[in-house]
Amino acid sequence: MSQIHQEVLISAQRNLRVESRTISSEEVTPDCPHAWSITKQTLHGGKQEGVDVIVVDNGTLSFTVVPTRGMGILEVVKGDLRLGWESPIKEVVHPRFINLHTRGGIGWLEGFNEWICRCGLESAGAPGDDVFINNNGNEATMQLTLHGKIANTPASEVEVLIERAAPWRIRIRGRVDERCFFGPSLELWAEISTEPGSSAVRINDQVTNRGGSDQEFQLIYHTNFGRPLLEGGARLVAPTERVHPINETALAAIDTYPDYLEPTPGFIEQVYCMWPYADDQGVTSIMLRNAAEDRAVTMTYPIEHLPYLTVWKNTASVETGYATGLEPGVTFPRHRSRERADGRLPVLTPGASHRVCMDIAIEEGVDAVTRAAARIEEIQAGRQTNVDRQPLGVI
Amino acid sequence: MSQIHQEVLISAQRNLRVESRTISSEEVTPDCPHAWSITKQTLHGGKQEGVDVIVVDNGTLSFTVVPTRGMGILEVVKGDLRLGWESPIKEVVHPRFINLHTRGGIGWLEGFNEWICRCGLESAGAPGDDVFINNNGNEATMQLTLHGKIANTPASEVEVLIERAAPWRIRIRGRVDERCFFGPSLELWAEISTEPGSSAVRINDQVTNRGGSDQEFQLIYHTNFGRPLLEGGARLVAPTERVHPINETALAAIDTYPDYLEPTPGFIEQVYCMWPYADDQGVTSIMLRNAAEDRAVTMTYPIEHLPYLTVWKNTASVETGYATGLEPGVTFPRHRSRERADGRLPVLTPGASHRVCMDIAIEEGVDAVTRAAARIEEIQAGRQTNVDRQPLGVI
Amino acid sequence: MSQIHQEVLISAQRNLRVESRTISSEEVTPDCPHAWSITKQTLHGGKQEGVDVIVVDNGTLSFTVVPTRGMGILEVVKGDLRLGWESPIKEVVHPRFINLHTRGGIGWLEGFNEWICRCGLESAGAPGDDVFINNNGNEATMQLTLHGKIANTPASEVEVLIERAAPWRIRIRGRVDERCFFGPSLELWAEISTEPGSSAVRINDQVTNRGGSDQEFQLIYHTNFGRPLLEGGARLVAPTERVHPINETALAAIDTYPDYLEPTPGFIEQVYCMWPYADDQGVTSIMLRNAAEDRAVTMTYPIEHLPYLTVWKNTASVETGYATGLEPGVTFPRHRSRERADGRLPVLTPGASHRVCMDIAIEEGVDAVTRAAARIEEIQAGRQTNVDRQPLGVI
């Protein structure tokens, strides 16, 4: 018997899509002390008709992956703690109901409600016209839409992998293709995994250029938190080399940029572009903690994978969407032409890949949160934080 | 046993969509003298693959509601009389095949074939650019598309309610959401009901602003009639305070604006903006009657709910679409910026609702039509009709 | 018993869509010496979820029709010979995932991977703005998108017809509607047929104007070949009255326009507009043959049906899409306004039709290929080929 239990849930190649299925620890890992389960469901009704979701319960926390929306992760739930946010978008919207070009190129916002929503791949960030090379080899103009296409592209291949022995890691993997003739052939393998009984999940993604020419790409992990973690007095803790306001609104509030307000009707979003420090292994860690400093989430990853961190503060009213986004990325979410001009836009040669690993952990209790803060302080290692007071601009 | 039989047919919240179902008077109201039925079906083939429809037969007339197309009402059929029209669009087109932005913003017309098609909610009327407030709190520009999004948005919750005792009213209710992050959170509860054995249906709708800020909205009941009611010699009867041609084409024909031609190849649409009178209870009634004055439809409603009436005359060839639209609305179907400038654009404060009630009845026989005309004359009560010869303009 | 076995697979009119079905020679034509079969399937996974395909195996070759994508033909397979090409698009993309307006109006390319993809009907060719007559009878502007809508429109009616006696011809017929209120009412009946045991297929299409006014249309058969037929040393053989490069890139290579290169990274497409000669029966024939001159495909059709031939040479890398398109059409794939200006844009009066018949045959062995070449030389009949060195332009 293989050391890995593998099961294909969706496969365009095999002409397969499993309508519903439950996999349990009893069935696959009878020796595992944690009663985990994986449930594949199909959503019905309204704009979520036909959406595939996979709920993984690791015995301690559960999370929901949405293959139909580019392997986005809707939420993590551990007891009364939910990682995610209360978007005004209540349904898990099928991409067929989204026109990315509507509302001046921000149609993406008609479906935005995930905890982690990947932005990319051909482009991410602000909408607006950019040049591209057309079929005649000439420069032409196209409208880039907010945060690109990947979150509204269904995964073509989705599989579950479960280790039959300790630590019994459960992996949900999906391939999402962003392909266009005379355009990019970018492939994302998106993986989220967890160990039964743990309070953590792990992202392990890879973007590959399957085309015949060099290909620019963008990839941003739009990771969003609302209540209960976000509240008045909550705080961002990050080892920071440099922070830049994106515009005048962010500049006006820069002296309190790590601090969060309670839900504030009429609040206008503040966005900060940050360069985190890493430790001498090249690893960084950032944290969002609550006011009481007894609950937090940490995101830990090699800085080389995601050199730039965007912090989106949107502590507006709950009806409007009370949220903050901690958004590590290969670029900032500025218009692609701006990131290109500033030398941040990465290029994949034919066949080349970019990998992203990230551990995301829930910290509970004052001790755990204090330890996580100490770890971040170690990474900072007394180095200076440069606060730049010149708005970077979006487009 | 409850006084109301309630059945949920579609619910995003409960992850439910009933593929097909028939509910009958025998089952629910055995004492009702009228053999009514409700049939939920799913359409197949071409552009109607997956469209949900509900056919209500009240024993005297039947009507078809389309949850997938924003709770639009495809037609009413009573014997050889059909309320509706022969559109060149023959299928009940699934919204996933509609791009509202195509053809310069009139993609809505690729699916338009309903008897009653609601236009709205964020906007209705002519396409074109308008300003909105973006995520940065700044003014930005977006293309509004013809008649807005609601008719191409699937209902998220649909239920049937039947009174178990006389008058055994049957209600089909559906909730259609128009939500965008950094945009509107408008909710429409659309209801159409009928009493078994009657020749009438009732609209009972409510639009609510679920967002955290004030929200403009538009809502127009695009109610369309073709043959047999529409014919050469058919006539609009309405208590009219004021009528305005929308453009030069309408102005040229204004002296005969209440009169209809037979199908006329090459006919260019004529649109009239009207302010109906109401009686001292605030109720108005309008009628479309045939040439012989022995068949008509009346629409009766509080003028406060729908203060403006647009009459769209399109007596073109049958192949092209021989139709007239009687379109009560909270605004005229002019570009939103024009209606805003003219002070007609309503605003809902957070949590506020706008309600619309309308009775639509089939009148058969010279006596019935004469009584309906007399009722409208009573509302006019000898008051003057002002015919304005200055085109209002569309955009 | 009827001479024709008829079976409906999809019908919007009858509210029917067969999920899967196999029809075999045993069942329908027990006397036929060739074991043929027809298999209707539904594709699953990723962007092909819900796509209908029909595979016809005539005992010698098989081909795949895609009703969901406008009755396009994905490929023909005979032994180790495949007519078709290796597009970077690997899935049979459901039109609901295509936005034709994206990428500056070339969204069509996100689904393009067929052997024969029909372009049209309201327009085909290059994207860009063109005028149209709007609901007010006035000129307005709309963006035409690359190659029009028909390839991304599902067929509304699909049926199979099989002759019960020799030659037992098998027909797959589908109706695809391109209808818009205040726009075209164009209807395509698309048919592909084959005789069991033969190495040929036949296209037999008809476009009809179901509207009430004159209607322009375009229709181009984008017929694409990659390996193995296309290779270094492969050659186009066509009886040619005149050939025109479309732009400077094509002009630069015009002296070798009938010859193909091996996959060439960085190759920029070359497009030639050609006027084929016909024989005295009005029939023309063109051929693509391999380097060894022992394998070829011929396309034979009345020149009146498709007067213009576009040859698209895209011998780029295999990853990018190594292909050539032989594209007979009622126009060239230039912007509609350019074809109109040059007097090539056809108009259908109300009720009028345009028919297209084309035989496509696989030729195997040096003898067969030599005979096909001789037939084309007979059509040329020693007449001159005019090579025009003035680029025609696209838009």
Side-chain angles (χ1 to χ4, degrees):
Chain A
M1 190 161 72
S2 159
Q3 280 305 96
I4 305 279
H5 174 84
Q6 182 178 10
E7 217 169 306
V8 176
L9 295 177
I10 295 170
S11 172
Q13 208 168 341
R14 303 185 196 186
N15 195 23
L16 174 83
R17 182 182 153 271
V18 172
E19 184 74 16
S20 64
R21 165 88 170 105
T22 299
I23 309 171
S24 68
S25 50
E26 270 181 26
E27 175 191 352
V28 178
T29 60
D31 301 337
C32 178
H34 306 282
W36 59 262
S37 66
I38 301 170
T39 307
K40 160 72 181 65
Q41 279 182 280
T42 304
L43 299 186
H44 295 289
K47 285 182 243 183
Q48 64 185 38
E49 185 64 38
V51 168
D52 296 309
V53 297
I54 302 168
V55 181
V56 176
D57 183 337
N58 82 356
T60 294
L61 58 74
S62 71
F63 59 88
T64 303
V65 182
V66 189
T68 308
R69 291 183 54 81
M71 297 295 291
I73 307 158
L74 190 62
E75 61 178 7
V76 174
V77 177
K78 184 189 173 195
D80 66 345
L81 177 62
R82 178 177 181 259
L83 306 185
W85 62 298
E86 296 159 77
S87 169
I89 312 304
K90 301 304 181 194
E91 292 168 283
V92 183
V93 180
H94 198 291
R96 67 192 183 195
F97 294 116
I98 299 287
N99 182 337
L100 295 171
H101 290 271
T102 201
R103 306 183 75 80
I106 59 171
W108 185 89
L109 293 170
E110 294 189 355
F112 174 45
N113 64 1
E114 289 95 343
W115 171 52
I116 296 188
C117 184
R118 290 173 190 83
C119 305
L121 299 174
E122 188 183 7
S123 70
D129 284 348
D130 197 5
V131 294
F132 73 108
I133 302 302
N134 72 8
N135 51 322
N136 302 125
N138 299 324
E139 272 198 0
T141 296
M142 61 185 275
Q143 186 194 36
L144 302 183
T145 59
L146 179 66
H147 289 324
K149 297 183 171 171
I150 198 71
N152 285 282
T153 304
S156 297
E157 307 288 327
V158 178
E159 60 181 6
V160 172
L161 297 154
I162 303 149
E163 297 172 3
R164 290 190 195 275
W168 304 287
R169 182 169 287 274
I170 297 165
R171 293 179 163 81
I172 311 292
R173 288 167 49 78
R175 201 191 78 214
V176 195
D177 292 331
E178 220 182 273
R179 287 170 171 266
C180 184
F181 186 58
F182 290 134
S185 284
L186 288 166
E187 170 190 293
L188 169 69
W189 268 105
E191 178 186 298
I192 180 167
S193 67
T194 191
E195 287 179 14
S198 81
S199 294
V201 299
R202 177 175 294 166
I203 302 291
N204 193 350
D205 289 0
Q206 188 157 298
V207 175
T208 303
N209 174 14
R210 294 288 178 207
S213 348
D214 287 3
Q215 179 64 50
E216 296 175 346
F217 78 105
Q218 290 185 279
L219 179 61
I220 297 170
Y221 290 79
H222 210 304
T223 311
N224 309 294
F225 301 92
R227 300 183 295 186
L229 217 48
L230 185 67
E231 59 185 343
R235 189 172 167 92
L236 167 73
V237 185
T240 307
E241 181 175 354
R242 190 169 149 210
V243 58
H244 235 316
I246 207 161
N247 60 13
E248 295 291 337
T249 309
L251 174 60
I254 198 163
D255 292 328
T256 56
Y257 80 86
D259 298 310
Y260 290 96
L261 298 178
E262 64 275 25
T264 307
F267 184 92
I268 301 294
E269 67 167 29
Q270 299 164 357
V271 175
Y272 298 95
C273 298
M274 296 173 62
W275 285 252
Y277 279 120
D279 64 18
D280 49 16
Q281 306 298 309
V283 173
T284 192
S285 186
I286 63 175
M287 174 168 76
L288 176 71
R289 62 136 178 87
N290 69 355
E293 305 188 31
D294 61 359
R295 271 182 163 184
V297 65
T298 55
M299 300 165 68
T300 303
Y301 53 92
I303 193 74
E304 191 186 29
H305 291 187
L306 298 165
Y308 308 104
L309 172 65
T310 304
V311 174
W312 168 63
K313 298 173 72 180
N314 193 61
T315 47
S317 68
V318 170
E319 294 76 22
T320 302
Y322 179 67
T324 186
L326 309 189
E327 311 173 20
V330 302
T331 70
F332 291 120
R334 298 160 77 225
H335 191 256
R336 189 177 67 177
S337 62
R338 291 295 297 268
E339 289 297 287
R340 185 190 293 123
D342 287 359
R344 269 187 294 272
L345 195 56
V347 172
L348 291 172
T349 54
S353 293
H354 182 87
R355 199 175 158 197
V356 173
C357 303
M358 179 159 45
D359 281 312
I360 307 179
I362 293 170
E363 310 291 347
E364 287 184 298
V366 172
D367 286 358
V369 174
T370 304
R371 272 196 306 273
R375 163 87 177 108
I376 291 167
E377 211 177 319
E378 271 174 45
I379 298 173
Q380 182 86 32
R383 289 176 285 184
Q384 201 180 335
T385 296
N386 302 295
V387 177
D388 203 309
R389 288 169 187 275
Q390 193 65 33
L392 261 193
V394 174
I395 189 162
Chain B
M1 191 160 71
S2 160
Q3 281 305 96
I4 305 278
H5 174 84
Q6 182 178 12
E7 217 169 307
V8 176
L9 296 177
I10 294 171
S11 173
Q13 208 168 340
R14 301 185 198 186
N15 194 23
L16 173 83
R17 181 182 154 270
V18 173
E19 183 74 17
S20 63
R21 165 87 170 107
T22 298
I23 310 170
S24 69
S25 50
E26 270 182 23
E27 174 192 353
V28 178
T29 61
D31 301 338
C32 178
H34 306 281
W36 58 261
S37 66
I38 301 169
T39 307
K40 159 73 180 65
Q41 280 182 279
T42 305
L43 298 186
H44 295 288
K47 287 181 242 184
Q48 65 186 37
E49 185 64 37
V51 168
D52 296 309
V53 297
I54 302 168
V55 180
V56 176
D57 182 338
N58 81 357
T60 294
L61 58 75
S62 72
F63 59 87
T64 303
V65 182
V66 189
T68 308
R69 291 183 54 82
M71 297 296 289
I73 307 157
L74 190 63
E75 60 177 7
V76 174
V77 176
K78 184 188 174 196
D80 66 346
L81 178 62
R82 177 176 181 260
L83 306 185
W85 62 299
E86 297 158 77
S87 169
I89 311 303
K90 302 304 181 194
E91 292 169 281
V92 183
V93 180
H94 198 290
R96 67 192 181 194
F97 295 115
I98 299 287
N99 182 337
L100 295 171
H101 289 272
T102 201
R103 305 183 75 81
I106 59 170
W108 185 89
L109 293 170
E110 293 189 355
F112 174 45
N113 64 2
E114 288 96 342
W115 170 52
I116 295 188
C117 183
R118 289 172 190 85
C119 305
L121 298 175
E122 187 182 9
S123 70
D129 284 349
D130 198 5
V131 294
F132 73 108
I133 301 302
N134 70 10
N135 50 321
N136 303 123
N138 300 325
E139 271 198 3
T141 296
M142 60 185 275
Q143 186 194 35
L144 302 183
T145 58
L146 178 67
H147 290 325
K149 296 182 173 171
I150 199 72
N152 285 282
T153 303
S156 297
E157 307 287 326
V158 178
E159 61 181 6
V160 171
L161 297 153
I162 302 149
E163 296 173 3
R164 291 190 194 275
W168 304 286
R169 183 170 286 273
I170 299 165
R171 293 179 164 81
I172 312 291
R173 286 167 50 78
R175 201 191 79 211
V176 195
D177 292 332
E178 220 181 273
R179 285 169 173 267
C180 184
F181 185 58
F182 290 134
S185 284
L186 288 166
E187 169 190 294
L188 169 70
W189 268 106
E191 179 185 297
I192 181 166
S193 67
T194 190
E195 287 179 13
S198 81
S199 294
V201 299
R202 178 175 293 167
I203 302 290
N204 194 350
D205 290 358
Q206 188 156 301
V207 176
T208 303
N209 175 14
R210 294 290 177 205
S213 346
D214 287 1
Q215 179 64 49
E216 296 175 346
F217 79 104
Q218 289 186 280
L219 179 60
I220 298 170
Y221 290 78
H222 209 304
T223 310
N224 310 294
F225 302 91
R227 300 182 296 184
L229 217 49
L230 184 65
E231 59 185 344
R235 190 174 167 91
L236 167 74
V237 185
T240 307
E241 182 174 355
R242 187 170 150 211
V243 57
H244 235 316
I246 207 161
N247 61 13
E248 295 291 336
T249 309
L251 174 59
I254 199 162
D255 291 329
T256 56
Y257 80 85
D259 299 309
Y260 290 97
L261 297 178
E262 65 274 26
T264 307
F267 185 93
I268 302 293
E269 67 168 30
Q270 299 164 356
V271 175
Y272 298 94
C273 297
M274 297 173 61
W275 286 251
Y277 280 120
D279 65 17
D280 50 15
Q281 305 298 308
V283 173
T284 191
S285 188
I286 63 176
M287 173 168 77
L288 177 70
R289 63 138 177 86
N290 68 355
E293 304 189 30
D294 61 359
R295 272 181 161 183
V297 63
T298 56
M299 300 166 66
T300 303
Y301 52 92
I303 193 73
E304 189 186 30
H305 292 187
L306 298 165
Y308 309 103
L309 172 65
T310 303
V311 175
W312 168 63
K313 297 173 72 182
N314 192 61
T315 48
S317 68
V318 171
E319 294 76 21
T320 303
Y322 179 68
T324 185
L326 310 189
E327 311 173 20
V330 302
T331 71
F332 290 120
R334 298 160 77 225
H335 191 256
R336 190 177 69 178
S337 63
R338 291 294 298 267
E339 290 296 289
R340 184 191 294 121
D342 286 359
R344 270 188 294 271
L345 196 56
V347 171
L348 291 172
T349 55
S353 294
H354 181 88
R355 198 172 160 199
V356 173
C357 303
M358 179 159 45
D359 282 312
I360 307 179
I362 292 170
E363 310 290 348
E364 287 185 298
V366 172
D367 286 0
V369 174
T370 303
R371 273 196 306 273
R375 163 87 176 107
I376 291 167
E377 211 176 318
E378 272 175 46
I379 299 173
Q380 182 86 32
R383 291 177 283 184
Q384 202 180 333
T385 296
N386 302 295
V387 177
D388 204 308
R389 289 169 187 275
Q390 193 65 33
L392 260 193
V394 175
I395 188 160
Chain C
M1 192 161 71
S2 160
Q3 280 305 95
I4 305 277
H5 173 85
Q6 183 177 11
E7 216 169 306
V8 176
L9 295 177
I10 295 170
S11 173
Q13 207 167 342
R14 301 185 198 185
N15 195 23
L16 173 82
R17 182 183 152 269
V18 173
E19 183 74 15
S20 64
R21 165 87 169 106
T22 299
I23 310 171
S24 69
S25 49
E26 271 182 23
E27 176 191 352
V28 178
T29 60
D31 302 337
C32 179
H34 306 282
W36 59 260
S37 67
I38 300 169
T39 307
K40 160 73 178 67
Q41 281 181 278
T42 305
L43 299 186
H44 295 288
K47 286 181 241 184
Q48 64 186 37
E49 185 64 38
V51 168
D52 296 309
V53 297
I54 302 169
V55 180
V56 177
D57 183 339
N58 81 357
T60 294
L61 58 74
S62 71
F63 60 87
T64 302
V65 182
V66 188
T68 308
R69 291 183 54 80
M71 297 296 290
I73 307 157
L74 189 62
E75 60 177 7
V76 174
V77 176
K78 184 189 173 197
D80 66 346
L81 178 62
R82 177 176 181 259
L83 306 184
W85 62 298
E86 296 158 76
S87 169
I89 312 304
K90 302 305 182 193
E91 293 169 282
V92 183
V93 180
H94 198 290
R96 68 192 182 194
F97 295 116
I98 299 287
N99 182 337
L100 295 171
H101 289 272
T102 201
R103 305 183 74 80
I106 60 171
W108 185 88
L109 293 170
E110 293 189 355
F112 174 45
N113 64 1
E114 289 96 342
W115 170 52
I116 296 187
C117 184
R118 289 172 190 83
C119 304
L121 299 174
E122 188 183 8
S123 70
D129 283 350
D130 197 6
V131 294
F132 72 107
I133 301 302
N134 71 8
N135 50 321
N136 303 124
N138 299 325
E139 270 198 1
T141 295
M142 61 185 275
Q143 186 194 36
L144 302 183
T145 59
L146 178 65
H147 289 325
K149 297 182 172 169
I150 198 73
N152 285 282
T153 304
S156 297
E157 306 288 326
V158 178
E159 61 181 5
V160 172
L161 297 153
I162 302 149
E163 296 173 2
R164 290 190 195 275
W168 303 288
R169 182 169 285 274
I170 297 165
R171 292 180 164 80
I172 310 292
R173 286 166 51 78
R175 201 190 79 211
V176 195
D177 292 332
E178 221 182 273
R179 285 168 172 268
C180 184
F181 186 57
F182 289 135
S185 284
L186 288 166
E187 169 190 294
L188 169 69
W189 268 104
E191 178 187 298
I192 180 167
S193 67
T194 191
E195 287 179 13
S198 81
S199 294
V201 298
R202 178 176 293 166
I203 302 291
N204 193 350
D205 289 359
Q206 189 158 298
V207 176
T208 303
N209 175 14
R210 293 290 178 206
S213 346
D214 288 1
Q215 178 64 49
E216 296 175 344
F217 79 105
Q218 290 185 279
L219 179 60
I220 297 171
Y221 290 78
H222 210 304
T223 310
N224 309 295
F225 302 92
R227 300 182 298 183
L229 218 47
L230 184 66
E231 60 185 343
R235 189 173 168 92
L236 166 74
V237 185
T240 307
E241 181 175 356
R242 190 170 150 209
V243 57
H244 235 317
I246 208 162
N247 61 12
E248 295 291 336
T249 308
L251 173 59
I254 198 163
D255 291 328
T256 56
Y257 80 84
D259 298 311
Y260 290 97
L261 297 178
E262 64 274 26
T264 306
F267 185 93
I268 301 295
E269 67 167 30
Q270 299 164 357
V271 175
Y272 298 95
C273 297
M274 296 171 62
W275 286 252
Y277 279 120
D279 65 16
D280 49 15
Q281 305 299 308
V283 173
T284 193
S285 187
I286 63 175
M287 174 168 75
L288 177 70
R289 63 140 176 85
N290 69 354
E293 303 189 34
D294 62 359
R295 271 182 162 183
V297 64
T298 56
M299 300 167 68
T300 303
Y301 53 91
I303 193 74
E304 191 186 28
H305 292 188
L306 298 165
Y308 308 103
L309 171 65
T310 303
V311 175
W312 169 62
K313 298 173 71 180
N314 193 61
T315 47
S317 68
V318 170
E319 295 75 22
T320 304
Y322 179 67
T324 185
L326 309 190
E327 310 173 19
V330 303
T331 70
F332 291 120
R334 297 160 77 226
H335 190 256
R336 189 176 69 178
S337 63
R338 290 295 296 268
E339 291 296 289
R340 184 190 293 120
D342 287 358
R344 269 187 294 271
L345 196 55
V347 172
L348 291 171
T349 55
S353 293
H354 182 88
R355 199 176 159 197
V356 173
C357 302
M358 179 159 44
D359 282 311
I360 307 180
I362 292 170
E363 310 292 347
E364 286 185 298
V366 173
D367 286 358
V369 174
T370 304
R371 272 195 307 274
R375 162 88 177 104
I376 291 168
E377 211 177 317
E378 272 174 46
I379 299 173
Q380 182 85 32
R383 289 177 285 183
Q384 201 180 334
T385 296
N386 300 296
V387 177
D388 204 309
R389 289 169 186 275
Q390 194 64 35
L392 260 192
V394 174
I395 189 161

